[in-house]
CSV table of all heavy atoms in Angstrom, one decimal:
chain,number,residue,atom,x,y,z
A,102,ASN,N,148.5,94.5,134.5
A,102,ASN,CA,149.2,93.6,133.6
A,102,ASN,C,150.2,94.4,132.7
A,102,ASN,O,151.1,93.8,132.2
A,102,ASN,CB,148.1,93.0,132.7
A,102,ASN,CG,147.3,91.9,133.4
A,102,ASN,OD1,147.7,91.4,134.4
A,102,ASN,ND2,146.1,91.6,132.9
A,103,LEU,N,150.0,95.7,132.6
A,103,LEU,CA,151.0,96.5,131.8
A,103,LEU,C,152.2,96.9,132.6
A,103,LEU,O,153.3,96.9,132.1
A,103,LEU,CB,150.3,97.7,131.2
A,103,LEU,CG,149.3,97.5,130.0
A,103,LEU,CD1,148.6,98.7,129.7
A,103,LEU,CD2,150.1,97.0,128.8
A,104,VAL,N,152.0,97.3,133.8
A,104,VAL,CA,153.1,97.9,134.6
A,104,VAL,C,153.5,97.1,135.9
A,104,VAL,O,154.4,97.5,136.6
A,104,VAL,CB,152.8,99.4,135.0
A,104,VAL,CG1,152.6,100.2,133.7
A,104,VAL,CG2,151.6,99.5,135.9
A,105,GLY,N,152.7,96.0,136.1
A,105,GLY,CA,153.0,95.3,137.4
A,105,GLY,C,152.3,95.9,138.6
A,105,GLY,O,151.6,96.9,138.5
A,106,GLU,N,152.5,95.2,139.7
A,106,GLU,CA,151.9,95.7,141.0
A,106,GLU,C,152.5,97.1,141.3
A,106,GLU,O,153.7,97.3,141.2
A,106,GLU,CB,152.2,94.8,142.1
A,106,GLU,CG,151.5,93.4,141.9
A,106,GLU,CD,151.6,92.6,143.2
A,106,GLU,OE1,152.1,93.1,144.2
A,106,GLU,OE2,151.3,91.4,143.1
A,107,THR,N,151.6,98.0,141.7
A,107,THR,CA,152.1,99.3,142.1
A,107,THR,C,151.1,99.9,143.1
A,107,THR,O,149.9,99.7,143.1
A,107,THR,CB,152.1,100.3,140.9
A,107,THR,OG1,152.3,101.6,141.3
A,107,THR,CG2,150.8,100.2,140.1
A,108,SER,N,151.7,100.6,144.1
A,108,SER,CA,150.9,101.2,145.1
A,108,SER,C,150.1,102.4,144.6
A,108,SER,O,149.2,102.9,145.2
A,108,SER,CB,151.8,101.7,146.3
A,108,SER,OG,152.8,102.7,145.8
A,109,ALA,N,150.5,102.9,143.4
A,109,ALA,CA,149.8,104.0,142.7
A,109,ALA,C,148.8,103.6,141.7
A,109,ALA,O,148.4,104.3,140.9
A,109,ALA,CB,150.9,104.9,142.0
A,110,LEU,N,148.3,102.4,141.9
A,110,LEU,CA,147.3,101.8,140.9
A,110,LEU,C,146.1,102.8,140.8
A,110,LEU,O,145.7,103.1,139.6
A,110,LEU,CB,146.8,100.4,141.3
A,110,LEU,CG,145.7,99.8,140.5
A,110,LEU,CD1,146.2,99.7,139.0
A,110,LEU,CD2,145.3,98.5,141.0
A,111,GLU,N,145.6,103.2,141.9
A,111,GLU,CA,144.4,104.0,141.8
A,111,GLU,C,144.7,105.4,141.1
A,111,GLU,O,143.8,105.9,140.4
A,111,GLU,CB,143.8,104.2,143.2
A,111,GLU,CG,142.3,104.7,143.2
A,111,GLU,CD,141.4,103.7,142.5
A,111,GLU,OE1,141.7,102.5,142.5
A,111,GLU,OE2,140.3,104.2,142.0
A,112,VAL,N,145.8,105.9,141.4
A,112,VAL,CA,146.2,107.2,140.8
A,112,VAL,C,146.3,107.0,139.3
A,112,VAL,O,145.8,107.9,138.5
A,112,VAL,CB,147.6,107.7,141.4
A,112,VAL,CG1,148.1,108.9,140.6
A,112,VAL,CG2,147.4,108.0,142.8
A,113,ILE,N,147.0,106.0,138.8
A,113,ILE,CA,147.1,105.7,137.4
A,113,ILE,C,145.7,105.5,136.8
A,113,ILE,O,145.4,105.9,135.7
A,113,ILE,CB,148.0,104.5,137.1
A,113,ILE,CG1,149.4,104.9,137.6
A,113,ILE,CG2,148.1,104.2,135.6
A,113,ILE,CD1,150.4,103.7,137.5
A,114,TYR,N,144.9,104.7,137.5
A,114,TYR,CA,143.5,104.4,137.0
A,114,TYR,C,142.7,105.6,136.8
A,114,TYR,O,142.1,105.8,135.7
A,114,TYR,CB,142.9,103.5,138.0
A,114,TYR,CG,141.4,103.1,137.7
A,114,TYR,CD1,141.1,102.3,136.7
A,114,TYR,CD2,140.4,103.5,138.6
A,114,TYR,CE1,139.8,101.9,136.4
A,114,TYR,CE2,139.1,103.1,138.4
A,114,TYR,CZ,138.8,102.3,137.3
A,114,TYR,OH,137.5,102.0,137.1
A,115,GLN,N,142.7,106.6,137.7
A,115,GLN,CA,142.0,107.8,137.6
A,115,GLN,C,142.6,108.7,136.5
A,115,GLN,O,141.9,109.3,135.7
A,115,GLN,CB,141.9,108.5,138.9
A,115,GLN,CG,141.1,107.9,140.0
A,115,GLN,CD,139.6,107.9,139.8
A,115,GLN,OE1,139.1,108.8,139.1
A,115,GLN,NE2,138.9,106.9,140.3
A,116,LYS,N,143.9,108.8,136.5
A,116,LYS,CA,144.6,109.7,135.5
A,116,LYS,C,144.3,109.2,134.1
A,116,LYS,O,144.1,110.0,133.2
A,116,LYS,CB,146.1,109.7,135.8
A,116,LYS,CG,147.0,110.4,134.8
A,116,LYS,CD,146.8,111.9,134.9
A,116,LYS,CE,147.8,112.6,134.1
A,116,LYS,NZ,147.6,114.0,134.0
A,117,THR,N,144.4,107.9,133.9
A,117,THR,CA,144.2,107.3,132.5
A,117,THR,C,142.8,107.6,132.1
A,117,THR,O,142.5,107.9,130.9
A,117,THR,CB,144.5,105.8,132.5
A,117,THR,OG1,145.8,105.6,132.9
A,117,THR,CG2,144.3,105.2,131.1
A,118,TYR,N,141.8,107.5,133.0
A,118,TYR,CA,140.4,107.8,132.5
A,118,TYR,C,140.3,109.3,132.2
A,118,TYR,O,139.8,109.7,131.1
A,118,TYR,CB,139.4,107.5,133.6
A,118,TYR,CG,138.0,107.8,133.0
A,118,TYR,CD1,137.4,107.0,132.0
A,118,TYR,CD2,137.3,109.0,133.3
A,118,TYR,CE1,136.2,107.3,131.4
A,118,TYR,CE2,136.1,109.3,132.7
A,118,TYR,CZ,135.6,108.5,131.7
A,118,TYR,OH,134.4,108.8,131.1
A,119,ASN,N,140.8,110.2,133.1
A,119,ASN,CA,140.7,111.6,132.9
A,119,ASN,C,141.4,112.1,131.6
A,119,ASN,O,140.8,112.9,130.9
A,119,ASN,CB,141.2,112.4,134.1
A,119,ASN,CG,140.4,112.2,135.3
A,119,ASN,OD1,139.2,111.8,135.3
A,119,ASN,ND2,141.0,112.4,136.5
A,120,ASP,N,142.6,111.6,131.3
A,120,ASP,CA,143.4,112.1,130.3
A,120,ASP,C,143.3,111.3,129.0
A,120,ASP,O,143.8,111.8,127.9
A,120,ASP,CB,144.8,112.2,130.7
A,120,ASP,CG,145.1,113.3,131.7
A,120,ASP,OD1,144.1,113.8,132.3
A,120,ASP,OD2,146.2,113.7,132.0
A,121,PHE,N,142.8,110.1,129.0
A,121,PHE,CA,142.8,109.3,127.8
A,121,PHE,C,141.4,108.8,127.4
A,121,PHE,O,140.9,109.0,126.3
A,121,PHE,CB,143.8,108.1,128.0
A,121,PHE,CG,144.1,107.4,126.7
A,121,PHE,CD1,145.3,107.5,126.1
A,121,PHE,CD2,143.2,106.5,126.1
A,121,PHE,CE1,145.6,106.9,124.9
A,121,PHE,CE2,143.5,105.8,125.0
A,121,PHE,CZ,144.7,106.0,124.4
A,122,ILE,N,140.8,108.1,128.3
A,122,ILE,CA,139.5,107.4,128.0
A,122,ILE,C,138.3,108.4,127.9
A,122,ILE,O,137.5,108.3,127.0
A,122,ILE,CB,139.2,106.4,129.1
A,122,ILE,CG1,140.3,105.4,129.2
A,122,ILE,CG2,137.9,105.6,128.7
A,122,ILE,CD1,140.5,104.4,128.0
A,123,GLU,N,138.2,109.4,128.8
A,123,GLU,CA,137.1,110.2,128.8
A,123,GLU,C,136.8,110.9,127.5
A,123,GLU,O,135.7,111.1,127.0
A,123,GLU,CB,137.1,111.2,129.9
A,123,GLU,CG,135.8,112.1,130.1
A,123,GLU,CD,135.8,113.0,131.3
A,123,GLU,OE1,136.9,113.3,131.8
A,123,GLU,OE2,134.7,113.4,131.7
A,124,SER,N,137.9,111.4,126.8
A,124,SER,CA,137.7,112.1,125.5
A,124,SER,C,137.1,111.2,124.5
A,124,SER,O,136.4,111.6,123.6
A,124,SER,CB,139.0,112.7,125.1
A,124,SER,OG,140.0,111.7,124.8
A,125,LEU,N,137.5,109.9,124.5
A,125,LEU,CA,136.9,108.9,123.6
A,125,LEU,C,135.5,108.7,123.9
A,125,LEU,O,134.6,108.5,123.0
A,125,LEU,CB,137.7,107.6,123.7
A,125,LEU,CG,139.2,107.7,123.4
A,125,LEU,CD1,139.8,106.3,123.5
A,125,LEU,CD2,139.5,108.3,122.0
A,126,ASP,N,135.1,108.6,125.2
A,126,ASP,CA,133.7,108.5,125.5
A,126,ASP,C,132.9,109.7,125.0
A,126,ASP,O,131.8,109.5,124.4
A,126,ASP,CB,133.5,108.5,127.1
A,126,ASP,CG,134.0,107.2,127.7
A,126,ASP,OD1,134.1,106.2,127.0
A,126,ASP,OD2,134.2,107.1,128.9
A,127,ALA,N,133.4,110.9,125.2
A,127,ALA,CA,132.7,112.1,124.7
A,127,ALA,C,132.6,112.1,123.2
A,127,ALA,O,131.6,112.4,122.7
A,127,ALA,CB,133.5,113.3,125.2
A,128,HIS,N,133.7,111.7,122.5
A,128,HIS,CA,133.7,111.7,121.1
A,128,HIS,C,132.6,110.8,120.5
A,128,HIS,O,131.8,111.1,119.6
A,128,HIS,CB,135.1,111.3,120.6
A,128,HIS,CG,135.2,111.3,119.1
A,128,HIS,ND1,134.8,110.3,118.3
A,128,HIS,CD2,135.6,112.3,118.2
A,128,HIS,CE1,135.1,110.6,117.0
A,128,HIS,NE2,135.5,111.8,116.9
A,129,ASP,N,132.5,109.6,121.1
A,129,ASP,CA,131.6,108.6,120.6
A,129,ASP,C,130.1,109.0,120.9
A,129,ASP,O,129.2,108.6,120.2
A,129,ASP,CB,131.9,107.2,121.2
A,129,ASP,CG,131.2,106.1,120.4
A,129,ASP,OD1,131.7,105.9,119.2
A,129,ASP,OD2,130.2,105.6,120.9
A,130,ASN,N,129.9,109.7,122.0
A,130,ASN,CA,128.6,110.1,122.4
A,130,ASN,C,128.2,111.5,121.9
A,130,ASN,O,127.2,112.0,122.3
A,130,ASN,CB,128.5,110.1,124.0
A,130,ASN,CG,128.3,108.7,124.5
A,130,ASN,OD1,127.4,108.0,124.1
A,130,ASN,ND2,129.2,108.3,125.4
A,131,GLY,N,129.1,112.1,121.1
A,131,GLY,CA,128.7,113.4,120.5
A,131,GLY,C,128.8,114.5,121.5
A,131,GLY,O,128.0,115.5,121.4
A,132,ILE,N,129.6,114.4,122.5
A,132,ILE,CA,129.7,115.5,123.5
A,132,ILE,C,130.9,116.4,123.2
A,132,ILE,O,132.1,115.9,123.1
A,132,ILE,CB,129.9,114.9,124.9
A,132,ILE,CG1,128.7,114.0,125.2
A,132,ILE,CG2,130.0,116.0,126.0
A,132,ILE,CD1,128.9,113.2,126.5
A,133,THR,N,130.7,117.7,123.1
A,133,THR,CA,131.8,118.6,122.8
A,133,THR,C,132.5,119.1,124.0
A,133,THR,O,131.8,119.3,125.1
A,133,THR,CB,131.3,119.7,121.9
A,133,THR,OG1,132.4,120.6,121.6
A,133,THR,CG2,130.2,120.5,122.5
A,134,ALA,N,133.7,119.4,123.9
A,134,ALA,CA,134.4,120.0,125.1
A,134,ALA,C,134.1,121.5,125.2
A,134,ALA,O,134.4,122.2,126.2
A,134,ALA,CB,135.9,119.9,124.9
A,135,TYR,N,133.5,122.1,124.1
A,135,TYR,CA,133.2,123.5,124.1
A,135,TYR,C,131.7,123.7,123.8
A,135,TYR,O,131.4,124.2,122.7
A,135,TYR,CB,134.0,124.2,123.1
A,135,TYR,CG,135.5,123.9,123.3
A,135,TYR,CD1,136.2,123.0,122.5
A,135,TYR,CD2,136.2,124.6,124.3
A,135,TYR,CE1,137.5,122.7,122.7
A,135,TYR,CE2,137.6,124.3,124.4
A,135,TYR,CZ,138.2,123.4,123.6
A,135,TYR,OH,139.6,123.1,123.8
A,136,PRO,N,130.8,123.3,124.7
A,136,PRO,CA,129.4,123.5,124.4
A,136,PRO,C,129.0,124.9,124.2
A,136,PRO,O,129.3,125.8,124.9
A,136,PRO,CB,128.7,122.9,125.6
A,136,PRO,CG,129.7,123.0,126.7
A,136,PRO,CD,131.0,122.8,126.0
A,137,GLY,N,128.2,125.2,123.1
A,137,GLY,CA,127.7,126.5,122.8
A,137,GLY,C,128.7,127.4,122.1
A,137,GLY,O,128.3,128.5,121.7
A,138,ALA,N,129.9,127.0,122.0
A,138,ALA,CA,131.0,127.8,121.4
A,138,ALA,C,131.2,127.4,119.9
A,138,ALA,O,131.1,126.3,119.6
A,138,ALA,CB,132.3,127.8,122.2
A,139,THR,N,131.5,128.4,119.1
A,139,THR,CA,131.9,128.1,117.7
A,139,THR,C,133.4,127.7,117.7
A,139,THR,O,134.2,128.4,118.2
A,139,THR,CB,131.8,129.4,116.9
A,139,THR,OG1,130.4,129.8,116.9
A,139,THR,CG2,132.1,129.0,115.4
A,140,PRO,N,133.6,126.5,117.2
A,140,PRO,CA,135.0,126.0,117.1
A,140,PRO,C,135.9,127.0,116.4
A,140,PRO,O,135.6,127.5,115.4
A,140,PRO,CB,134.9,124.7,116.4
A,140,PRO,CG,133.5,124.2,116.5
A,140,PRO,CD,132.7,125.5,116.6
A,141,LEU,N,137.1,127.2,117.0
A,141,LEU,CA,138.1,128.1,116.4
A,141,LEU,C,138.9,127.4,115.2
A,141,LEU,O,139.5,128.0,114.4
A,141,LEU,CB,139.1,128.6,117.4
A,141,LEU,CG,138.4,129.4,118.6
A,141,LEU,CD1,139.5,129.8,119.6
A,141,LEU,CD2,137.8,130.6,118.0
A,142,PHE,N,138.9,126.1,115.2
A,142,PHE,CA,139.6,125.3,114.2
A,142,PHE,C,139.0,123.9,114.2
A,142,PHE,O,138.3,123.4,115.1
A,142,PHE,CB,141.1,125.2,114.5
A,142,PHE,CG,141.4,124.9,116.0
A,142,PHE,CD1,141.4,123.6,116.4
A,142,PHE,CD2,141.7,125.9,116.9
A,142,PHE,CE1,141.7,123.3,117.7
A,142,PHE,CE2,142.0,125.6,118.2
A,142,PHE,CZ,142.0,124.3,118.6
A,143,LYS,N,139.3,123.2,113.1
A,143,LYS,CA,138.8,121.8,112.9
A,143,LYS,C,139.6,120.9,113.8
A,143,LYS,O,140.8,121.1,114.1
A,143,LYS,CB,139.0,121.4,111.5
A,143,LYS,CG,138.0,122.1,110.5
A,143,LYS,CD,138.1,121.5,109.1
A,143,LYS,CE,137.0,122.1,108.2
A,143,LYS,NZ,137.1,121.5,106.8
A,144,GLU,N,139.0,119.8,114.2
A,144,GLU,CA,139.6,118.8,115.0
A,144,GLU,C,140.8,118.2,114.2
A,144,GLU,O,140.6,118.0,112.9
A,144,GLU,CB,138.7,117.7,115.4
A,144,GLU,CG,139.3,116.5,116.2
A,144,GLU,CD,138.3,115.4,116.5
A,144,GLU,OE1,137.1,115.7,116.3
A,144,GLU,OE2,138.7,114.4,117.0
A,145,SER,N,141.9,117.9,114.8
A,145,SER,CA,143.0,117.3,114.1
A,145,SER,C,142.7,115.9,113.5
A,145,SER,O,142.1,115.1,114.2
A,145,SER,CB,144.2,117.2,115.0
A,145,SER,OG,145.2,116.4,114.4
A,146,PRO,N,143.1,115.7,112.2
A,146,PRO,CA,142.9,114.4,111.7
A,146,PRO,C,143.8,113.3,112.2
A,146,PRO,O,143.8,112.2,111.8
A,146,PRO,CB,143.1,114.6,110.2
A,146,PRO,CG,144.1,115.8,110.1
A,146,PRO,CD,143.7,116.6,111.3
A,147,THR,N,144.7,113.7,113.1
A,147,THR,CA,145.7,112.8,113.7
A,147,THR,C,145.3,112.4,115.1
A,147,THR,O,146.1,111.7,115.8
A,147,THR,CB,147.1,113.4,113.7
A,147,THR,OG1,147.1,114.6,114.5
A,147,THR,CG2,147.6,113.8,112.3
A,148,SER,N,144.1,112.7,115.6
A,148,SER,CA,143.7,112.3,116.9
A,148,SER,C,143.5,110.8,116.8
A,148,SER,O,143.3,110.2,115.7
A,148,SER,CB,142.4,112.9,117.3
A,148,SER,OG,141.3,112.5,116.5
A,149,LEU,N,143.5,110.1,118.0
A,149,LEU,CA,143.4,108.6,118.0
A,149,LEU,C,142.0,108.2,117.4
A,149,LEU,O,142.0,107.3,116.5
A,149,LEU,CB,143.5,108.1,119.4
A,149,LEU,CG,143.3,106.6,119.6
A,149,LEU,CD1,144.3,105.8,118.7
A,149,LEU,CD2,143.4,106.2,121.0
A,150,ALA,N,140.9,108.9,117.7
A,150,ALA,CA,139.6,108.6,117.2
A,150,ALA,C,139.6,108.7,115.6
A,150,ALA,O,139.1,107.9,114.9
A,150,ALA,CB,138.6,109.4,117.8
A,151,SER,N,140.3,109.8,115.1
A,151,SER,CA,140.4,110.0,113.7
A,151,SER,C,141.2,108.9,113.0
A,151,SER,O,140.8,108.4,111.9
A,151,SER,CB,141.0,111.4,113.4
A,151,SER,OG,140.1,112.4,113.9
A,152,ARG,N,142.3,108.5,113.6
A,152,ARG,CA,143.2,107.5,113.0
A,152,ARG,C,142.5,106.2,113.0
A,152,ARG,O,142.7,105.4,112.0
A,152,ARG,CB,144.5,107.5,113.7
A,152,ARG,CG,145.4,108.7,113.3
A,152,ARG,CD,146.8,108.6,113.9
A,152,ARG,NE,146.7,108.9,115.3
A,152,ARG,CZ,147.2,108.2,116.3
A,152,ARG,NH1,147.7,107.0,116.0
A,152,ARG,NH2,147.1,108.6,117.6
A,153,VAL,N,141.8,105.9,114.0
A,153,VAL,CA,141.0,104.6,114.0
A,153,VAL,C,139.9,104.7,112.9
A,153,VAL,O,139.7,103.7,112.2
A,153,VAL,CB,140.4,104.4,115.4
A,153,VAL,CG1,139.3,103.3,115.3
A,153,VAL,CG2,141.4,103.9,116.4
Side-chain angles (χ1 to χ4, degrees):
N102 288 338
L103 286 170
V104 302
E106 292 187 11
T107 171
S108 60
L110 175 60
E111 198 62 26
V112 173
I113 297 176
Y114 177 67
Q115 293 288 336
K116 174 72 172 175
T117 300
Y118 183 76
N119 292 340
D120 288 15
F121 194 103
I122 304 291
E123 186 174 19
S124 64
L125 300 179
D126 287 342
H128 183 273
D129 197 73
N130 283 304
I132 302 170
T133 177
Y135 307 100
T139 301
L141 299 178
F142 46 81
K143 289 186 177 180
E144 181 182 347
S145 170
T147 61
S148 69
L149 178 57
S151 295
R152 284 183 285 124
V153 166

